[in-house]
Amino acid sequence: TGLWQFMYPTGKHLGLKINSYVDERCDPYKSTVAAAEYLKYLYGIFKDWRMVLAAYNAGPGTISRAIRRSGGKKTYWEIRPFLPQETQGYVPAFIAANYIMNFAQYHGMSPAVPRKNFLQIDTVFIKQQMSFDQISQVLDVPVEEIEYFNPQYRKFIIPSGNNPLCLSKEKIAHFITEKI
């Protein structure tokens, strides 16, 4: 689930909150921090980025078993026949995606334009439970936009606590002045 496609146990292991209201695997910021930490951890084990990618996909235990089955080989290409089918294709697919990101213009491709860039977005922390409908009515923002910038909330509700609400800077400023 989410930008980094974390499985439930991996997300929990990395400290991401996952419950019936919030799934931080879908929070772009928190999941990216967790992914960077996880990649760093995997690199500390395997010391090779292709092996790290394979471990990211299949899990470090699967990679360690493939190393043993291969007779102790240490590179992705050497252990590839001992990996699950999906992982055998994962690293080549990553290499292909990296290629297309760097040479898209030569293949008639262009990047998608985001709705807002990083500098146009702001965050405020909500202490009491609030529904997307309530926020939509007060700020005159479509629920779809609130959902787009806050994909971690499962039920269109920001639960009580200290939870972030991300929207355009103008709407966040309005939110603060309205003291919702």
Side-chain angles (χ1 to χ4, degrees):
T1 295
L3 177 66
W4 293 97
Q5 293 293 294
F6 284 130
M7 300 290 285
Y8 178 86
T10 306
K12 292 296 272 184
H13 174 75
L14 295 171
L16 297 174
K17 185 183 346 177
I18 304 168
N19 60 42
S20 58
Y21 286 97
V22 178
D23 189 342
E24 290 181 342
R25 295 176 297 172
C26 296
D27 181 309
Y29 179 79
K30 288 182 180 180
S31 66
T32 298
V33 169
E37 289 296 321
Y38 190 44
L39 290 168
K40 180 180 173 183
Y41 165 77
L42 293 172
Y43 189 81
I45 296 170
F46 297 108
K47 309 283 191 246
D48 175 88
W49 284 111
R50 288 180 192 95
M51 295 289 273
V52 167
L53 289 171
Y56 187 90
N57 178 255
T62 301
I63 302 310
S64 296
R65 284 189 293 282
I67 290 169
R68 283 194 303 277
R69 287 189 201 119
S70 73
K73 303 278 197 301
K74 298 284 186 183
T75 71
Y76 170 78
W77 300 110
E78 292 171 320
I79 70 162
R80 187 170 181 244
F82 303 94
L83 295 171
Q85 195 72 38
E86 179 185 333
T87 308
Q88 288 183 29
Y90 189 80
V91 172
F94 183 89
I95 292 168
N98 190 34
Y99 170 84
I100 208 68
M101 285 173 47
N102 285 292
F103 299 102
Q105 69 276 16
Y106 300 113
H107 301 282
M109 301 178 81
S110 59
V113 178
R115 290 185 187 182
K116 303 255 185 234
N117 70 40
F118 180 74
L119 298 174
Q120 296 170 311
I121 303 298
D122 203 354
T123 303
V124 66
F125 286 87
I126 309 293
K127 299 209 184 308
Q128 59 190 16
Q129 180 172 307
M130 207 169 277
S131 74
F132 285 12
D133 284 333
Q134 289 172 305
I135 297 165
S136 173
Q137 289 171 7
V138 171
L139 299 180
D140 192 31
V141 176
V143 169
E144 294 77 26
E145 185 171 326
I146 300 168
E147 181 184 10
Y148 178 79
F149 289 114
N150 300 275
Q152 68 271 33
Y153 299 115
R154 292 180 152 182
K155 297 183 178 184
F156 302 101
I157 293 173
I158 301 174
S160 61
N162 198 25
N163 293 299
L165 167 65
C166 297
L167 287 173
S168 69
K169 284 189 174 186
E170 301 81 34
K171 295 301 179 180
I172 291 294
H174 184 201
F175 183 92
I176 292 168
T177 57
E178 290 294 320
K179 296 183 182 172
I180 300 173

